[in-house]
Amino acid sequence: MGVNTAVLDGVVVAGRGKGSVAEKTIHTLPAGLPTDCVLAGGIKHTIAFTHLSVHP
């Protein structure tokens, strides 16, 4: 098993950074098989590192 990475990007819609470009990167260490996310039971537990960047 390895590390799964997801990158989400978009625009802040409310609050202090409204209108700014944002990017969130999530690295997870799966506790099961990589295919668990497509099964009915889903992923039950994971350890993750998350980084959020907001650019004016």
Side-chain angles (χ1 to χ4, degrees):
M1 291 186 225
V3 176
N4 297 321
T5 301
V7 178
L8 309 171
D9 56 40
V11 177
V12 179
V13 296
R16 184 174 170 174
K18 185 176 181 179
S20 298
V21 174
E23 179 179 274
K24 183 175 188 178
T25 305
I26 306 162
H27 301 284
T28 62
L29 299 173
L33 297 173
T35 54
D36 284 354
C37 63
V38 298
L39 301 175
I43 297 173
K44 303 257 187 251
H45 175 77
T46 189
I47 296 170
F49 170 78
T50 303
H51 183 262
L52 175 64
S53 298
V54 178
H55 308 280

